[in-house]
Amino acid sequence: MRYRTLLLTAPGLAMILSLAACGDEHDKSLPAEKPSGAATVRPSGSPADSLTIRIRASAQAPAKTYTLTCDPAGGDHPKAADACAALTKAKAPFDPVPKDRMCTDIYGGPEVATVKGTWQGKPVDTTFKRNDGCQLHRWTQIAPVFGPVPKVR
């Protein structure tokens, strides 16, 4: 009798706990729905998201420069829609790595990128590198912004 109770209770408890954890992810991942026919309206006088991206194969290499605008996606960036989607998805895409953060000693390559302009009404002037784990993470989370990285010659 004791074993039968354990056999029935354990799966039931596991199911209840797994169902209790469901629901939060769905609410956070989906944007709020707009009523049909509603358009995105930018407040009068607010600047569009506009960025200048300079990407180098190494610190000494010549730079390839792209312009990127979002909402709507444009500029001369080769994959503007993908770049804007990556920026929108990333949490604080231009924040620097906190000075007190410990980073792994993982080298991702010599590439260097600078991004200047305006994003969500805030000025942007930052540099991305791939010289440690923290910088590599910053680069990877918005990699489409950098477009095709020039090859090291």
Side-chain angles (χ1 to χ4, degrees):
M1 182 72 164
R2 223 181 320 179
Y3 296 112
R4 196 176 303 158
T5 303
L6 281 175
L7 288 174
L8 295 175
T9 305
L13 184 59
M15 184 177 73
I16 290 170
L17 291 174
S18 67
L19 289 175
C22 291
D24 281 353
E25 294 131 17
H26 181 71
D27 292 340
K28 292 178 186 172
S29 65
L30 293 178
E33 289 187 27
K34 297 179 193 174
S36 63
T40 302
V41 178
R42 181 176 288 118
S44 173
S46 73
D49 297 331
S50 176
L51 301 169
T52 300
I53 299 109
R54 291 177 51 107
I55 179 81
R56 297 173 184 261
S58 69
Q60 298 79 25
K64 174 71 178 160
T65 303
Y66 302 111
T67 57
L68 174 67
T69 58
C70 295
D71 198 20
D76 64 359
H77 194 285
K79 294 190 177 184
D82 292 342
C84 291
L87 286 171
T88 302
K89 183 180 173 185
K91 182 180 176 184
F94 302 112
D95 284 359
V97 175
K99 293 185 190 287
D100 63 344
R101 173 142 320 143
M102 291 177 51
C103 301
T104 57
D105 194 16
I106 297 174
Y107 181 71
E111 299 85 5
V112 178
T114 58
V115 181
K116 294 181 181 185
T118 304
W119 177 251
Q120 297 181 341
K122 296 178 183 170
V124 173
D125 187 357
T126 190
T127 300
F128 289 83
K129 296 180 180 181
R130 298 165 47 100
N131 58 340
D132 67 35
C134 295
Q135 294 296 335
L136 192 55
H137 174 73
R138 281 183 76 219
W139 183 291
T140 304
Q141 80 173 358
I142 63 167
V145 169
F146 307 122
V149 178
K151 300 291 183 212
V152 177
R153 293 181 185 177

